[in-house]
């Protein structure tokens, strides 16, 4: 119900009502919402007020629009805490989801100047370039490019890459992964990301660039990943020193 005598703005009351219905499961992922006109008539308010509430919920990731079809409830975002160094496979299994990968390309290339500098190897030294789509329960979550020194990680194959790269490195090669430096920024999706992640043009994606090191400080990999912003969010716990 909307309380028009409340000091709380009407659009905010609508937002909170819909959020509550989404969070308690009354409204489920991909459920269709009534039109702005239906909302306006139901609450006897202006369509502009309804539009403001819907726009805010779309911007916050609770809802999404499909041109010509209407407004729908978004899938719940996967949340990853930016503490600890885990693989995508480990993250998804911890959530009870089935991780998988679709390999787009797997080849050995000559290291560019930038990759050579990041991996501390010679210019044009052999490097594995791995491009793949990371999926959870068959839903595309991220588009990933990985660069690993072929002289450090030997015997890499497509089947290994399709399983878990970290598991192979630690269990089969006996290398101990230590730490990583990571940057995170929001950008608009490229045509390639739109295609492979099955998202709309101009959708935001979370670009993560990570440099991972072994325990002895040896650079292990350079990773660039584009995560769907409508399905993924990252949290950070911070302590004041």
């Amino acid at each position: 119900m909307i309380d028009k005598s409340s000091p709380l703005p009407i659009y905010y009351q609508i937002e909170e009502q819909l959020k509550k219905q989404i969070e308690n499961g009354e409204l489920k992922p991909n459920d269709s919402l009534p039109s702005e006109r239906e909302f306006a008539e139901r609450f006897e308010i202006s369509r502009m007020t309804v539009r403001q509430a819907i726009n805010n919920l779309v911007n916050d990731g609770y809802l999404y629009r499909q041109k010509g079809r209407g407004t729908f409830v978004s899938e719940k975002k996967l949340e990853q805490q930016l503490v600890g160094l885990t693989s995508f496979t480990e993250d998804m299994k911890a959530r009870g989801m089935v991780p998988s990968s679709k390999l787009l390309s797997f080849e050995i290339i000559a290291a560019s100047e930038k990759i050579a500098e990041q991996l501390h190897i010679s210019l044009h030294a052999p490097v594995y370039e791995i491009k793949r789509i990371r999926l959870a329960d068959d839903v595309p979550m991220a588009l990933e490019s990985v660069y690993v020194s072929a002289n450090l990680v030997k015997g890499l194959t497509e089947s290994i890459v399709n399983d878990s790269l970290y598991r192979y490195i630690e269990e089969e090669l006996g290398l101990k992964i230590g730490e990583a430096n990571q940057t995170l920024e929001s950008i608009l999706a490229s045509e390639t990301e739109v295609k492979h992640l099955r998202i709309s043009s101009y959708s935001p994606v979370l670009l993560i660039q990570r440099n991972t090191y072994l325990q002895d400080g040896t650079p292990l990999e350079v990773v660039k990943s584009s995560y769907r912003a409508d399905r993924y969010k990252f949290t950070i716990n911070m302590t004041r020193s």
Side-chain angles (χ1 to χ4, degrees), residues 84-85 166 177-182 209-214 221:
L85 181 53
Y166 277 17
I177 300 172
E179 61 181 16
N181 296 325
Q182 189 163 276
Q209 301 188 73
R210 179 159 81 181
N211 288 25
T212 309
Y213 303 87
L214 299 178
E221 64 174 356

Side-chain angles (χ1 to χ4, degrees), residues 41-61:
E41 290 176 354
R42 179 190 304 176
F43 297 121
E44 297 182 343
I45 57 177
S46 71
R47 290 178 65 174
M48 186 176 296
T49 299
V50 175
R51 187 174 299 124
Q52 184 173 359
I54 299 300
N55 284 343
N56 289 344
L57 291 171
V58 169
N59 291 335
D60 288 343

Side-chain angles (χ1 to χ4, degrees), residues 30-236:
N30 302 310
D31 277 355
S32 175
L33 260 64
S35 68
E36 290 179 3
R37 179 181 57 79
E38 291 172 308
F39 266 122
E41 290 176 354
R42 179 190 304 176
F43 297 121
E44 297 182 343
I45 57 177
S46 71
R47 290 178 65 174
M48 186 176 296
T49 299
V50 175
R51 187 174 299 124
Q52 184 173 359
I54 299 300
N55 284 343
N56 289 344
L57 291 171
V58 169
N59 291 335
D60 288 343
Y62 285 92
L63 304 174
Y64 69 94
R65 288 191 176 96
Q66 285 192 348
K67 191 172 181 180
R69 293 193 58 210
T71 305
F72 302 84
V73 178
S74 298
E75 295 277 357
K76 186 177 180 181
K77 290 190 178 184
L78 297 178
E79 182 174 327
Q80 179 181 346
Q81 291 196 349
L82 292 178
V83 292
L85 181 53
T86 56
S87 69
F88 179 87
T89 299
E90 292 165 340
D91 288 338
M92 295 306 105
K93 285 183 176 178
R95 290 176 172 80
M97 305 180 79
V98 179
S100 60
S101 297
K102 180 180 178 182
L103 195 61
L104 300 176
S105 65
F106 175 80
E107 57 185 324
I108 294 179
I109 63 170
S112 65
E113 184 175 349
K114 183 176 181 180
I115 294 297
E117 180 181 353
Q118 291 175 302
L119 291 177
H120 296 183
I121 58 178
S122 303
L123 182 65
H124 304 315
V127 169
Y128 290 109
E129 180 187 62
I130 306 159
K131 295 189 176 184
R132 54 188 175 174
I133 304 170
R134 309 309 303 268
L135 304 99
D137 290 345
D138 292 325
V139 177
M141 291 292 174
L143 181 62
E144 182 182 82
S145 297
V146 183
Y147 299 89
V148 181
S149 169
N151 291 325
L152 176 66
V153 179
K154 300 180 184 296
L156 206 53
T157 65
E158 290 190 14
S159 61
I160 292 169
V161 170
N162 277 324
D163 182 23
S164 174
L165 181 58
Y166 277 17
R167 187 194 63 77
Y168 175 74
I169 288 170
E170 293 194 308
E171 296 181 14
E172 300 298 327
L173 299 183
L175 300 173
K176 299 301 180 183
I177 300 172
E179 61 181 16
N181 296 325
Q182 189 163 276
T183 61
L184 171 63
E185 62 181 309
S186 178
I187 62 171
L188 292 179
S190 66
E191 289 184 10
T192 300
E193 289 158 345
V194 166
K195 173 185 175 183
H196 291 302
L197 295 179
R198 302 179 206 161
I199 55 179
S200 303
S201 298
Y202 307 113
S203 295
V205 293
L206 298 172
L207 174 63
I208 297 179
Q209 301 188 73
R210 179 159 81 181
N211 288 25
T212 309
Y213 303 87
L214 299 178
Q215 287 184 353
D216 64 2
T218 302
L220 172 63
E221 64 174 356
V222 174
V223 183
K224 176 183 175 183
S225 303
S226 300
Y227 281 83
R228 288 178 56 165
D230 65 329
R231 296 301 311 277
Y232 226 87
K233 67 179 179 180
F234 295 85
T235 61
I236 305 173

